[in-house]
Amino acid sequence: FFLSPLARRKQKWSVDPQNSAWSKDDSKFGQKMLEKMGWSKGKGLGAQEQGNTEHIKVQVKNNTLGLGATINYEDNWIAHQDDFNQLLAELNNCHGQGET
């Protein structure tokens, strides 16, 4: 079994998973431009300096589930089965067939 050099590989997280090392570098272009316009480190953006002063936090998602999905399969299946059984009972009662 041979993998080509172009095969996709899992991305490794760096030593700085929150990517906050860039904020400690005072020589960045964006920071210089903001400081020229009156902003200083530790203040939020906006007319009343109401913006966030902290970085956006990153959380590692190490599974193949969609965003917001849970692994609780059994409870979901039982809930759907109960709904399905109730629907069948109502249909049987409406059409006069009674219990099957």
Side-chain angles (χ1 to χ4, degrees):
F1 181 63
F2 175 76
L3 287 176
S4 72
L6 300 176
R8 290 187 179 191
R9 294 189 180 123
K10 273 195 157 185
Q11 180 181 3
K12 301 262 183 186
W13 285 91
S14 67
V15 178
D16 184 23
Q18 297 295 330
N19 198 18
S20 59
W22 62 270
S23 67
K24 297 176 181 116
D25 185 6
D26 295 334
S27 65
K28 296 286 186 186
F29 174 78
Q31 183 170 342
K32 287 181 181 178
M33 289 298 293
L34 287 170
E35 287 172 348
K36 285 181 185 177
M37 291 184 260
W39 176 82
S40 62
K41 201 168 193 170
K43 293 183 180 179
L45 292 178
Q48 286 80 37
E49 298 174 351
Q50 75 276 13
N52 291 345
T53 58
E54 297 293 320
H55 305 293
I56 296 173
K57 300 296 180 193
V58 177
Q59 184 177 11
V60 176
K61 181 184 170 301
N62 195 16
N63 58 29
T64 57
L65 297 174
L67 293 177
T70 60
I71 300 179
N72 198 357
Y73 300 116
E74 293 176 9
D75 291 342
N76 290 338
W77 172 254
I78 292 169
H80 293 302
Q81 185 68 31
D82 291 342
D83 293 340
F84 183 69
N85 288 338
Q86 181 182 359
L87 175 66
L88 285 178
E90 290 174 6
L91 286 172
N92 285 333
N93 288 336
C94 287
H95 295 292
Q97 292 180 352
E99 289 292 320
T100 58

Coordinates of all heavy atoms in Angstrom, one line a residue:
F1 N 0.9 -1.2 0.0 CA 0.0 0.0 0.0 C 0.9 1.2 0.0 O 1.7 1.4 0.9 CB -0.9 -0.1 1.2 CG -1.8 1.1 1.4 CD1 -2.8 1.3 0.4 CD2 -1.7 1.9 2.4 CE1 -3.7 2.3 0.6 CE2 -2.6 3.0 2.6 CZ -3.6 3.2 1.6
F2 N 0.7 2.1 -1.0 CA 1.6 3.2 -1.2 C 0.8 4.5 -1.1 O -0.3 4.6 -1.8 CB 2.3 3.1 -2.5 CG 3.1 4.3 -2.9 CD1 4.3 4.5 -2.3 CD2 2.7 5.3 -3.8 CE1 5.1 5.6 -2.6 CE2 3.4 6.4 -4.1 CZ 4.6 6.6 -3.5
L3 N 1.2 5.5 -0.3 CA 0.6 6.8 -0.3 C 1.4 7.8 -1.1 O 2.6 7.8 -1.0 CB 0.5 7.3 1.2 CG -0.5 6.6 2.1 CD1 -0.4 7.2 3.5 CD2 -1.9 6.8 1.6
S4 N 0.7 8.5 -1.9 CA 1.4 9.5 -2.7 C 1.8 10.7 -1.8 O 1.2 10.9 -0.7 CB 0.5 10.0 -3.8 OG -0.5 10.9 -3.3
P5 N 2.8 11.4 -2.2 CA 3.2 12.6 -1.3 C 2.2 13.6 -1.2 O 2.2 14.5 -0.3 CB 4.5 13.1 -2.0 CG 4.7 12.3 -3.2 CD 3.7 11.2 -3.3
L6 N 1.2 13.6 -2.1 CA 0.1 14.6 -2.1 C -1.1 14.2 -1.3 O -2.1 14.9 -1.2 CB -0.3 14.9 -3.5 CG 0.8 15.5 -4.4 CD1 0.2 15.7 -5.8 CD2 1.3 16.8 -3.9
A7 N -1.0 13.0 -0.7 CA -2.1 12.5 0.2 C -2.3 13.4 1.3 O -1.4 14.0 1.9 CB -1.8 11.1 0.7
R8 N -3.6 13.6 1.7 CA -3.9 14.5 2.8 C -3.5 13.9 4.1 O -3.6 12.7 4.3 CB -5.4 14.7 2.8 CG -5.9 15.5 1.7 CD -7.4 15.9 1.9 NE -7.8 16.7 0.8 CZ -9.0 17.3 0.8 NH1 -9.8 17.2 1.9 NH2 -9.3 18.1 -0.2
R9 N -3.0 14.7 4.9 CA -2.6 14.3 6.3 C -3.3 15.1 7.3 O -3.7 16.2 7.0 CB -1.1 14.4 6.4 CG -0.3 13.5 5.5 CD 1.2 13.5 5.8 NE 1.8 12.6 4.9 CZ 2.8 13.0 4.0 NH1 3.3 14.2 4.0 NH2 3.3 12.1 3.2
K10 N -3.4 14.6 8.5 CA -4.0 15.3 9.6 C -3.2 16.5 9.9 O -1.9 16.4 10.0 CB -4.2 14.4 10.8 CG -5.5 13.7 10.8 CD -5.8 13.1 12.2 CE -7.2 12.9 12.3 NZ -7.6 12.4 13.6
Q11 N -3.8 17.6 10.2 CA -3.1 18.8 10.6 C -2.7 18.7 12.1 O -3.5 18.4 12.9 CB -3.9 20.0 10.4 CG -3.3 21.3 10.7 CD -4.2 22.5 10.5 OE1 -5.3 22.3 10.1 NE2 -3.7 23.7 10.7
K12 N -1.5 19.0 12.3 CA -1.0 19.0 13.7 C -1.2 20.4 14.3 O -0.9 21.4 13.7 CB 0.5 18.6 13.8 CG 0.8 17.3 13.2 CD 0.9 16.3 14.3 CE 1.3 14.9 13.6 NZ 1.3 13.9 14.6
W13 N -1.6 20.4 15.6 CA -1.7 21.7 16.2 C -0.4 22.1 16.7 O 0.4 21.4 17.2 CB -2.7 21.6 17.4 CG -4.1 21.5 16.9 CD1 -4.8 20.4 16.6 CD2 -5.0 22.6 16.6 NE1 -6.1 20.7 16.2 CE2 -6.2 22.1 16.2 CE3 -4.8 24.0 16.7 CZ2 -7.3 22.9 15.8 CZ3 -5.9 24.7 16.3 CH2 -7.1 24.2 15.9
S14 N -0.2 23.4 16.7 CA 1.1 24.0 17.1 C 1.2 24.0 18.6 O 0.2 23.7 19.3 CB 1.3 25.4 16.5 OG 0.4 26.2 17.1
V15 N 2.3 24.5 19.1 CA 2.5 24.7 20.6 C 1.5 25.8 21.1 O 1.2 25.8 22.3 CB 3.9 25.1 20.9 CG1 4.2 25.3 22.3 CG2 4.9 24.0 20.3
D16 N 1.1 26.7 20.2 CA 0.2 27.8 20.6 C -1.2 27.6 20.0 O -1.5 28.2 19.0 CB 0.9 29.1 20.1 CG 0.1 30.3 20.6 OD1 -0.7 30.2 21.5 OD2 0.2 31.4 19.9
P17 N -2.0 26.7 20.5 CA -3.3 26.4 19.9 C -4.3 27.6 19.9 O -5.1 27.6 19.0 CB -3.8 25.2 20.7 CG -3.2 25.3 22.0 CD -1.8 25.9 21.7
Q18 N -4.1 28.5 20.8 CA -5.0 29.7 20.8 C -4.5 30.7 19.9 O -5.2 31.8 19.7 CB -5.1 30.2 22.2 CG -5.7 29.3 23.2 CD -7.2 29.0 22.9 OE1 -7.9 29.8 22.4 NE2 -7.6 27.8 23.3
N19 N -3.4 30.5 19.2 CA -2.8 31.5 18.3 C -2.7 32.9 18.8 O -3.1 33.9 18.2 CB -3.7 31.5 17.0 CG -2.9 32.1 15.8 OD1 -1.7 32.2 15.9 ND2 -3.6 32.4 14.8
S20 N -2.2 33.0 20.1 CA -2.1 34.3 20.7 C -0.7 34.8 20.6 O -0.5 35.9 21.1 CB -2.6 34.2 22.1 OG -1.8 33.2 22.8
A21 N 0.3 34.1 20.1 CA 1.6 34.6 20.0 C 1.7 35.8 19.1 O 2.5 36.7 19.4 CB 2.6 33.5 19.5
W22 N 0.9 35.9 18.1 CA 0.9 37.1 17.2 C 0.6 38.4 18.0 O 1.0 39.4 17.6 CB 0.0 36.9 16.0 CG -1.5 36.8 16.5 CD1 -2.1 35.6 16.8 CD2 -2.4 37.8 16.7 NE1 -3.4 35.9 17.1 CE2 -3.6 37.2 17.1 CE3 -2.3 39.2 16.5 CZ2 -4.7 38.0 17.3 CZ3 -3.5 39.9 16.8 CH2 -4.7 39.3 17.2
S23 N -0.2 38.3 19.0 CA -0.6 39.5 19.7 C 0.5 40.1 20.6 O 0.4 41.2 20.9 CB -1.8 39.2 20.7 OG -1.4 38.3 21.7
K24 N 1.5 39.3 20.9 CA 2.6 39.8 21.6 C 3.7 40.5 20.7 O 4.6 41.1 21.2 CB 3.3 38.6 22.4 CG 2.3 38.0 23.4 CD 2.9 36.8 24.1 CE 1.9 36.3 25.0 NZ 1.5 34.9 24.7
D25 N 3.5 40.4 19.4 CA 4.4 41.0 18.5 C 4.0 42.4 18.2 O 2.9 42.6 17.5 CB 4.5 40.2 17.2 CG 5.5 40.7 16.2 OD1 6.3 41.6 16.6 OD2 5.6 40.2 15.1
D26 N 4.7 43.4 18.7 CA 4.3 44.8 18.5 C 4.6 45.4 17.2 O 4.3 46.6 16.9 CB 4.9 45.7 19.6 CG 4.3 45.3 21.0 OD1 3.2 44.8 21.0 OD2 5.0 45.5 22.0
S27 N 5.3 44.6 16.3 CA 5.7 45.2 15.0 C 4.7 44.9 13.9 O 5.0 45.1 12.7 CB 7.1 44.6 14.6 OG 7.0 43.2 14.4
K28 N 3.5 44.4 14.2 CA 2.6 44.0 13.1 C 2.0 45.3 12.5 O 1.7 46.3 13.1 CB 1.4 43.2 13.7 CG 1.9 41.8 14.2 CD 2.2 40.9 13.1 CE 2.5 39.5 13.6 NZ 3.0 38.7 12.6
F29 N 1.7 45.2 11.2 CA 1.1 46.3 10.4 C -0.2 46.8 11.0 O -0.4 48.0 11.2 CB 1.0 45.9 9.0 CG 0.3 46.9 8.1 CD1 1.0 48.0 7.7 CD2 -1.0 46.8 7.8 CE1 0.4 49.0 6.9 CE2 -1.6 47.8 7.0 CZ -0.9 48.9 6.6
G30 N -1.1 45.9 11.3 CA -2.4 46.3 11.7 C -2.4 47.0 13.1 O -3.1 48.0 13.3
Q31 N -1.5 46.5 14.0 CA -1.4 47.2 15.3 C -0.8 48.6 15.1 O -1.3 49.5 15.8 CB -0.5 46.4 16.2 CG -0.4 47.0 17.6 CD 0.2 46.0 18.6 OE1 0.3 44.9 18.4 NE2 0.6 46.6 19.7
K32 N 0.2 48.8 14.2 CA 0.7 50.1 14.0 C -0.3 51.0 13.5 O -0.4 52.2 13.9 CB 1.9 50.0 13.0 CG 3.2 49.4 13.7 CD 4.3 49.3 12.6 CE 5.5 48.7 13.2 NZ 6.6 48.6 12.2
M33 N -1.1 50.6 12.5 CA -2.2 51.4 12.0 C -3.2 51.8 13.0 O -3.6 53.0 13.1 CB -2.9 50.7 10.8 CG -2.0 50.5 9.6 SD -1.5 52.1 8.8 CE -3.1 52.7 8.3
L34 N -3.6 50.9 13.8 CA -4.6 51.2 14.9 C -4.0 52.2 15.9 O -4.7 53.1 16.3 CB -5.0 49.9 15.6 CG -5.9 49.0 14.8 CD1 -6.1 47.6 15.6 CD2 -7.3 49.6 14.6
E35 N -2.7 52.0 16.2 CA -2.1 53.0 17.2 C -2.0 54.4 16.6 O -2.2 55.4 17.3 CB -0.8 52.4 17.6 CG -0.9 51.3 18.5 CD 0.5 50.6 18.8 OE1 1.5 50.9 18.1 OE2 0.5 49.8 19.7
K36 N -1.8 54.5 15.3 CA -1.8 55.8 14.6 C -3.1 56.5 14.7 O -3.2 57.7 14.7 CB -1.4 55.6 13.1 CG 0.1 55.4 12.9 CD 0.4 55.3 11.5 CE 1.9 54.9 11.3 NZ 2.2 54.7 9.8
M37 N -4.2 55.7 14.7 CA -5.6 56.2 14.8 C -6.1 56.4 16.2 O -7.2 56.7 16.4 CB -6.5 55.3 14.0 CG -6.3 55.3 12.5 SD -7.5 54.3 11.6 CE -6.5 52.9 11.4
G38 N -5.2 56.2 17.2 CA -5.6 56.5 18.6 C -5.8 55.3 19.5 O -6.1 55.5 20.7
W39 N -5.8 54.1 19.0 CA -6.0 52.9 19.8 C -4.8 52.6 20.6 O -3.6 52.9 20.1 CB -6.4 51.8 18.9 CG -6.5 50.5 19.6 CD1 -7.6 50.0 20.3 CD2 -5.6 49.4 19.7 NE1 -7.4 48.8 20.8 CE2 -6.2 48.4 20.5 CE3 -4.3 49.3 19.2 CZ2 -5.5 47.2 20.8 CZ3 -3.6 48.1 19.5 CH2 -4.2 47.1 20.3
S40 N -4.9 52.1 21.8 CA -3.7 51.6 22.5 C -4.0 50.2 23.0 O -5.2 49.8 23.2 CB -3.4 52.5 23.7 OG -4.5 52.6 24.6
K41 N -3.0 49.4 23.3 CA -3.1 48.0 23.7 C -3.9 47.9 25.0 O -3.7 48.7 25.9 CB -1.7 47.4 23.9 CG -1.7 46.0 23.8 CD -0.3 45.5 23.7 CE -0.3 44.0 23.3 NZ 1.0 43.5 23.0
G42 N -4.8 47.0 25.0 CA -5.7 46.8 26.2 C -7.0 47.4 26.1 O -7.9 47.2 27.0
K43 N -7.2 48.3 25.1 CA -8.5 49.0 25.0 C -9.3 48.3 23.9 O -8.8 47.6 23.0 CB -8.3 50.4 24.6 CG -7.7 51.3 25.6 CD -7.7 52.7 25.2 CE -7.1 53.6 26.2 NZ -7.0 55.0 25.8
G44 N -10.6 48.4 23.9 CA -11.5 47.8 22.9 C -11.6 48.8 21.7 O -11.4 49.9 21.8
L45 N -12.1 48.2 20.6 CA -12.4 49.1 19.4 C -13.7 49.7 19.6 O -14.6 49.2 20.2 CB -12.3 48.3 18.1 CG -10.9 47.7 17.8 CD1 -11.0 46.9 16.5 CD2 -9.9 48.8 17.5
G46 N -14.0 50.8 18.9 CA -15.2 51.5 18.9 C -15.1 52.9 19.5 O -14.1 53.2 20.1
A47 N -16.2 53.7 19.3 CA -16.1 55.1 19.7 C -16.0 55.2 21.2 O -15.3 56.0 21.8 CB -17.4 55.8 19.2
Q48 N -16.7 54.3 22.0 CA -16.6 54.3 23.4 C -15.7 53.2 23.9 O -15.8 52.8 25.1 CB -18.0 54.1 24.0 CG -18.9 55.3 24.0 CD -19.6 55.5 22.6 OE1 -19.9 54.5 21.9 NE2 -19.7 56.7 22.1
E49 N -14.9 52.6 23.1 CA -13.9 51.5 23.4 C -14.7 50.3 24.0 O -14.3 49.7 25.0 CB -12.8 52.0 24.4 CG -12.0 53.1 23.7 CD -11.0 53.7 24.7 OE1 -11.0 53.4 25.9 OE2 -10.2 54.5 24.2
Q50 N -15.9 50.0 23.5 CA -16.7 49.0 24.0 C -16.4 47.6 23.4 O -17.0 46.6 23.8 CB -18.2 49.3 23.7 CG -18.7 49.1 22.3 CD -18.4 50.3 21.4 OE1 -17.6 51.2 21.7 NE2 -19.0 50.3 20.2
G51 N -15.5 47.5 22.5 CA -15.2 46.2 21.8 C -14.5 45.2 22.7 O -14.0 45.6 23.8
N52 N -14.3 44.0 22.2 CA -13.6 43.0 23.0 C -12.2 43.3 23.2 O -11.5 43.9 22.3 CB -13.7 41.6 22.3 CG -15.1 41.1 22.3 OD1 -16.0 41.5 23.1 ND2 -15.4 40.1 21.5
T53 N -11.7 43.0 24.3 CA -10.2 43.2 24.6 C -9.5 41.9 24.7 O -8.3 41.9 24.7 CB -10.0 44.0 25.9 OG1 -10.6 43.2 27.0 CG2 -10.6 45.4 25.8
E54 N -10.2 40.8 24.6 CA -9.6 39.5 24.7 C -9.7 38.8 23.3 O -10.5 39.2 22.5 CB -10.3 38.6 25.7 CG -10.3 39.0 27.1 CD -8.9 39.0 27.7 OE1 -8.2 38.0 27.4 OE2 -8.5 39.9 28.4
H55 N -8.8 37.8 23.1 CA -8.8 37.1 21.8 C -10.0 36.2 21.7 O -10.5 35.7 22.7 CB -7.5 36.3 21.7 CG -6.3 37.1 21.8 ND1 -6.0 38.1 20.9 CD2 -5.4 37.2 22.7 CE1 -4.8 38.7 21.3 NE2 -4.5 38.1 22.4
I56 N -10.4 35.8 20.5 CA -11.4 34.8 20.3 C -10.8 33.4 20.7 O -9.7 33.1 20.3 CB -11.8 34.7 18.8 CG1 -12.5 36.1 18.5 CG2 -12.8 33.6 18.6 CD1 -12.8 36.2 17.0
K57 N -11.5 32.7 21.5 CA -11.0 31.4 22.0 C -11.3 30.3 21.0 O -12.4 30.2 20.5 CB -11.6 31.0 23.4 CG -11.4 32.1 24.5 CD -9.9 32.2 24.8 CE -9.7 33.2 25.9 NZ -8.3 33.6 26.0
V58 N -10.4 29.4 20.8 CA -10.5 28.3 19.9 C -10.6 27.0 20.7 O -10.0 26.8 21.7 CB -9.3 28.2 19.0 CG1 -9.4 27.0 18.1 CG2 -9.1 29.5 18.2
Q59 N -11.5 26.1 20.3 CA -11.7 24.8 20.9 C -11.5 23.8 19.8 O -12.1 23.8 18.8 CB -13.1 24.7 21.5 CG -13.3 23.5 22.3 CD -14.7 23.4 22.9 OE1 -15.6 24.3 22.7 NE2 -14.9 22.5 23.8
V60 N -10.7 22.8 20.1 CA -10.4 21.7 19.2 C -11.6 20.8 19.1 O -12.2 20.4 20.0 CB -9.2 20.9 19.6 CG1 -8.9 19.8 18.7 CG2 -8.0 21.8 19.7
K61 N -12.0 20.6 17.8 CA -13.1 19.6 17.5 C -12.5 18.4 16.9 O -12.1 18.4 15.8 CB -14.1 20.3 16.6 CG -15.3 19.4 16.2 CD -16.1 20.1 15.2 CE -17.2 19.2 14.7 NZ -16.7 18.0 14.0
N62 N -12.3 17.4 17.7 CA -11.6 16.2 17.3 C -12.5 15.0 17.0 O -12.3 13.9 17.5 CB -10.5 15.8 18.4 CG -9.5 14.9 17.8 OD1 -9.4 14.7 16.6 ND2 -8.8 14.2 18.7
N63 N -13.6 15.2 16.3 CA -14.5 14.1 15.9 C -15.1 14.4 14.5 O -14.8 15.5 14.0 CB -15.6 13.9 16.9 CG -16.4 15.1 17.2 OD1 -16.6 16.0 16.3 ND2 -16.9 15.3 18.4
T64 N -15.9 13.5 14.0 CA -16.4 13.7 12.7 C -17.9 14.1 12.7 O -18.6 14.1 11.7 CB -16.3 12.5 11.8 OG1 -17.0 11.4 12.5 CG2 -14.9 12.1 11.6
L65 N -18.4 14.5 13.9 CA -19.8 14.9 14.0 C -19.9 16.4 13.5 O -19.0 17.1 13.5 CB -20.2 14.9 15.5 CG -20.2 13.5 16.2 CD1 -20.5 13.7 17.7 CD2 -21.2 12.6 15.5
G66 N -21.1 16.7 13.1 CA -21.4 18.1 12.7 C -21.3 19.0 13.9 O -21.4 18.6 15.1
L67 N -21.3 20.3 13.7 CA -21.3 21.3 14.7 C -22.6 21.2 15.5 O -23.7 21.2 14.9 CB -21.1 22.7 14.2 CG -19.8 23.0 13.6 CD1 -19.7 24.4 13.0 CD2 -18.7 22.8 14.6
G68 N -22.5 21.1 16.8 CA -23.7 21.1 17.7 C -24.3 19.7 17.8 O -25.3 19.5 18.5
A69 N -23.8 18.7 17.1 CA -24.3 17.3 17.2 C -23.8 16.7 18.5 O -22.8 17.0 19.1 CB -23.8 16.5 16.0
T70 N -24.6 15.8 19.0 CA -24.3 15.0 20.2 C -24.2 13.5 19.9 O -24.7 13.1 18.9 CB -25.3 15.2 21.3 OG1 -26.6 14.8 20.9 CG2 -25.5 16.7 21.7
I71 N -23.5 12.8 20.8 CA -23.3 11.4 20.6 C -24.4 10.6 21.2 O -24.4 9.4 21.1 CB -21.9 11.0 21.1 CG1 -20.9 11.7 20.4 CG2 -21.7 9.5 21.0 CD1 -19.5 11.4 20.9
N72 N -25.4 11.2 21.8 CA -26.5 10.5 22.5 C -27.5 9.8 21.5 O -28.6 10.3 21.4 CB -27.2 11.5 23.4 CG -28.0 10.8 24.5 OD1 -28.0 9.6 24.6 ND2 -28.5 11.6 25.4
Y73 N -27.0 8.7 20.9 CA -27.9 8.1 19.9 C -29.0 7.3 20.5 O -30.1 7.4 19.9 CB -27.0 7.1 19.1 CG -25.9 7.7 18.4 CD1 -24.6 7.3 18.7 CD2 -26.0 8.6 17.3 CE1 -23.5 7.9 18.0 CE2 -25.0 9.2 16.7 CZ -23.7 8.8 17.0 OH -22.6 9.3 16.4
E74 N -28.9 6.6 21.6 CA -29.9 5.8 22.1 C -31.1 6.6 22.5 O -32.2 6.2 22.3 CB -29.4 5.0 23.3 CG -28.3 4.0 22.9 CD -27.7 3.3 24.1 OE1 -28.2 3.4 25.2 OE2 -26.7 2.6 23.9
D75 N -30.9 7.7 23.2 CA -32.0 8.5 23.6 C -32.8 9.1 22.4 O -34.0 9.2 22.4 CB -31.6 9.7 24.5 CG -31.1 9.2 25.9 OD1 -31.4 8.0 26.2 OD2 -30.4 9.9 26.6
N76 N -32.1 9.5 21.4 CA -32.7 10.0 20.2 C -33.6 8.9 19.5 O -34.7 9.2 19.1 CB -31.7 10.6 19.2 CG -31.1 11.8 19.7 OD1 -31.6 12.5 20.6 ND2 -29.9 12.1 19.2
W77 N -33.0 7.7 19.5 CA -33.7 6.6 18.8 C -35.0 6.3 19.6 O -36.1 6.1 19.0 CB -32.9 5.4 18.7 CG -33.6 4.2 18.2 CD1 -34.0 3.1 19.0 CD2 -34.1 4.0 16.9 NE1 -34.7 2.2 18.2 CE2 -34.8 2.7 17.0 CE3 -34.1 4.7 15.8 CZ2 -35.5 2.2 15.8 CZ3 -34.8 4.2 14.6 CH2 -35.4 2.9 14.7
I78 N -34.9 6.2 20.9 CA -36.1 5.9 21.8 C -37.1 7.0 21.6 O -38.3 6.7 21.5 CB -35.6 5.7 23.2 CG1 -34.8 4.5 23.4 CG2 -36.9 5.7 24.1 CD1 -34.1 4.3 24.7
A79 N -36.7 8.3 21.6 CA -37.7 9.3 21.5 C -38.4 9.3 20.1 O -39.6 9.4 20.0 CB -37.0 10.7 21.6
H80 N -37.7 9.0 19.0 CA -38.3 8.9 17.7 C -39.2 7.7 17.6 O -40.2 7.7 17.0 CB -37.2 8.9 16.6 CG -36.4 10.1 16.5 ND1 -37.0 11.3 16.2 CD2 -35.1 10.4 16.6 CE1 -36.1 12.3 16.2 NE2 -34.9 11.7 16.4
Q81 N -38.8 6.6 18.3 CA -39.6 5.4 18.2 C -40.9 5.6 19.0 O -42.0 5.2 18.5 CB -38.8 4.2 18.9 CG -39.5 2.9 18.8 CD -39.6 2.3 17.4 OE1 -38.7 2.6 16.6 NE2 -40.7 1.6 17.1
D82 N -40.9 6.3 20.1 CA -42.1 6.6 20.8 C -43.0 7.5 20.0 O -44.2 7.2 19.9 CB -41.8 7.3 22.1 CG -41.1 6.4 23.1 OD1 -41.2 5.1 22.9 OD2 -40.5 6.9 24.1
D83 N -42.5 8.5 19.3 CA -43.3 9.4 18.4 C -43.9 8.6 17.3 O -45.0 8.7 16.9 CB -42.4 10.5 17.9 CG -42.0 11.5 18.9 OD1 -42.6 11.5 20.0 OD2 -41.0 12.2 18.7
F84 N -43.1 7.7 16.7 CA -43.6 6.8 15.6 C -44.7 5.9 16.0 O -45.7 5.8 15.4 CB -42.4 6.0 15.0 CG -42.8 5.2 13.8 CD1 -43.1 5.8 12.6 CD2 -42.9 3.8 13.9 CE1 -43.5 5.1 11.5 CE2 -43.2 3.1 12.8 CZ -43.5 3.7 11.6
N85 N -44.6 5.3 17.2 CA -45.6 4.4 17.7 C -46.9 5.2 18.0 O -48.0 4.7 17.8 CB -45.1 3.7 19.0 CG -44.1 2.6 18.7 OD1 -44.0 2.2 17.5 ND2 -43.3 2.3 19.7
Q86 N -46.7 6.4 18.5 CA -47.9 7.2 18.8 C -48.6 7.6 17.5 O -49.9 7.6 17.4 CB -47.5 8.5 19.6 CG -48.7 9.4 19.9 CD -48.2 10.7 20.6 OE1 -47.1 10.9 20.9 NE2 -49.2 11.5 20.9
L87 N -47.9 7.9 16.5 CA -48.4 8.3 15.2 C -49.2 7.1 14.6 O -50.3 7.2 14.1 CB -47.3 8.8 14.2 CG -47.8 9.0 12.8 CD1 -48.7 10.2 12.8 CD2 -46.6 9.3 11.9
L88 N -48.6 5.9 14.7 CA -49.3 4.7 14.2 C -50.6 4.4 14.9 O -51.6 4.1 14.3 CB -48.3 3.5 14.3 CG -47.2 3.4 13.2 CD1 -46.4 2.2 13.5 CD2 -47.8 3.4 11.8
A89 N -50.5 4.6 16.2 CA -51.8 4.4 17.0 C -52.9 5.4 16.7 O -54.0 5.0 16.5 CB -51.4 4.5 18.5
E90 N -52.5 6.6 16.4 CA -53.5 7.6 16.0 C -54.1 7.3 14.7 O -55.3 7.5 14.4 CB -52.9 9.0 16.1 CG -52.6 9.5 17.5 CD -51.8 10.8 17.5 OE1 -51.6 11.4 16.4 OE2 -51.5 11.3 18.6
L91 N -53.2 6.9 13.7 CA -53.7 6.5 12.4 C -54.6 5.3 12.5 O -55.6 5.3 11.8 CB -52.5 6.2 11.5 CG -51.7 7.4 11.0 CD1 -50.5 7.0 10.2 CD2 -52.6 8.4 10.1
N92 N -54.3 4.3 13.3 CA -55.1 3.2 13.4 C -56.5 3.5 14.0 O -57.5 3.0 13.6 CB -54.5 2.1 14.2 CG -53.4 1.4 13.5 OD1 -53.4 1.3 12.3 ND2 -52.4 0.9 14.2
N93 N -56.5 4.4 15.0 CA -57.7 4.9 15.6 C -58.6 5.7 14.6 O -59.8 5.6 14.6 CB -57.5 5.7 16.8 CG -57.0 4.8 18.0 OD1 -57.2 3.6 18.0 ND2 -56.3 5.4 18.9
C94 N -58.0 6.5 13.8 CA -58.7 7.3 12.8 C -59.3 6.5 11.8 O -60.4 6.8 11.3 CB -57.8 8.4 12.2 SG -57.3 9.7 13.3
H95 N -58.7 5.4 11.3 CA -59.2 4.6 10.3 C -60.0 3.4 10.8 O -60.3 2.5 10.0 CB -58.0 4.2 9.3 CG -57.4 5.4 8.6 ND1 -58.1 6.1 7.7 CD2 -56.2 6.0 8.8 CE1 -57.3 7.1 7.2 NE2 -56.2 7.0 7.9
G96 N -60.2 3.3 12.1 CA -61.0 2.3 12.6 C -60.5 0.9 12.6 O -61.2 -0.1 12.7
Q97 N -59.2 0.7 12.5 CA -58.6 -0.6 12.5 C -58.3 -1.1 13.9 O -58.0 -2.3 14.1 CB -57.3 -0.6 11.6 CG -57.6 -0.4 10.2 CD -56.3 -0.4 9.4 OE1 -55.3 -0.5 9.9 NE2 -56.5 -0.4 8.1
G98 N -58.2 -0.2 14.9 CA -57.9 -0.7 16.2 C -56.5 -1.0 16.4 O -55.6 -0.6 15.6
E99 N -56.2 -1.9 17.3 CA -54.8 -2.4 17.6 C -54.4 -3.4 16.5 O -55.1 -4.2 16.0 CB -54.7 -3.0 19.0 CG -54.8 -2.0 20.1 CD -53.7 -1.0 20.2 OE1 -52.5 -1.5 20.0 OE2 -53.9 0.2 20.4
T100 N -53.1 -3.3 16.1 CA -52.5 -4.3 15.2 C -51.5 -5.1 15.9 O -50.9 -4.7 16.8 CB -51.9 -3.6 14.0 OG1 -50.8 -2.7 14.5 CG2 -52.9 -2.8 13.2

